[in-house]
Amino acid sequence: MPRPVPPELPTPTARLTFRAFTAADGRRVHRLVGDPEVMRHLQGDALAPERVEEKVLVPMLMAAAEQPGYGRICVERRDDGAFIGWVSLVPRVPDGGPMYGWVRGAVGAPVVELGYRVVHEAWGMGLATEAAGAAVEHALTTLGASTVVATTMAVNAGSRRVLERLGFTLAGVRFLQWDEPNPGWEQGEAEYVLGVRPV
């Protein structure tokens, strides 16, 4: 008999399951943050294996411990347990700035920011949409969010398609200055909203 799903995790989908990351997941995390193709439309360069624990894994585990139900959640394929990537849910408080500049809100904040990353080998299979959809449902039901927001580089057509398939609406495009911009930065950052638009 399957074990009940803890309330802090999204409900499994037809092809995917969700679990908390652990200290043993460094190699899996590196498959995402160490892949230049995955990182191409994200801020920051691909990380070397020896930097993953300090820069990503430890902060990620600490944040998840502080706010159960939020943070980055490991996504695995249901049939064989293969690592697919992560989804992330972060509470935000609108401050009039770009969505990714909003200050961190308290647990239970009505606005939650969605993020997702999928290993390069799993692109084009609809898995990002499936994982992100489960995360959105979790945010709106279990976490009680009234609004889910997401941002992506305007040139990232794949990520924008995921959000649009899930019912997100383009709220605008921001043009910001970056110290070390990724290619395509000059086309701006697309901001998406699902639910009640924050004031």
Side-chain angles (χ1 to χ4, degrees):
M1 183 167 183
R3 292 181 301 168
V5 178
E8 68 270 12
L9 296 175
T11 303
T13 66
R15 296 182 290 173
L16 302 172
T17 60
F18 303 89
R19 67 169 176 83
F21 276 104
T22 72
D25 284 320
R27 186 174 292 179
R28 291 178 184 87
V29 170
H30 182 255
R31 288 186 60 200
L32 287 173
V33 301
D35 184 340
E37 199 57 29
V38 172
M39 299 298 288
R40 183 162 48 108
H41 294 307
L42 300 165
Q43 270 59 59
D45 295 326
L47 285 182
E50 62 273 11
R51 300 188 64 206
V52 168
E53 184 172 350
E54 174 198 355
K55 294 290 183 183
V56 182
L57 189 59
V58 169
M60 181 168 74
L61 295 176
M62 289 174 63
E66 288 171 12
Q67 295 187 304
Y70 291 98
R72 293 173 182 155
I73 300 164
C74 181
V75 182
E76 295 177 330
R77 200 159 48 205
R78 194 167 189 163
D79 59 359
D80 61 2
F83 177 68
I84 295 300
W86 73 45
V87 290
S88 69
L89 296 168
V90 180
R92 299 293 189 194
V93 174
D95 66 1
M99 289 176 182
Y100 36 76
W102 288 357
V103 297
R104 191 182 192 110
V107 173
V111 178
V112 172
E113 183 177 11
L114 168 72
Y116 46 87
R117 292 187 197 179
V118 170
V119 293
H120 190 195
E121 311 88 271
W123 288 5
M125 301 178 187
L127 295 173
T129 304
E130 193 169 325
V136 167
E137 182 67 19
H138 181 65
L140 294 173
T141 55
T142 306
L143 301 180
S146 63
T147 303
V148 182
V149 297
T151 62
T152 185
M153 286 182 71
V155 295
N156 191 346
S159 187
R160 296 183 71 169
R161 277 194 300 272
V162 167
L163 295 170
E164 287 159 8
R165 284 185 194 123
L166 294 174
F168 281 78
T169 302
L170 180 65
V173 177
R174 300 264 186 172
F175 296 89
L176 303 176
Q177 297 298 315
W178 303 101
D179 292 335
E180 297 179 15
N182 288 349
W185 70 275
E186 69 283 353
Q187 294 187 41
E189 299 282 327
E191 299 181 338
Y192 282 87
V193 175
L194 178 69
V196 182
R197 186 166 179 172
V199 222

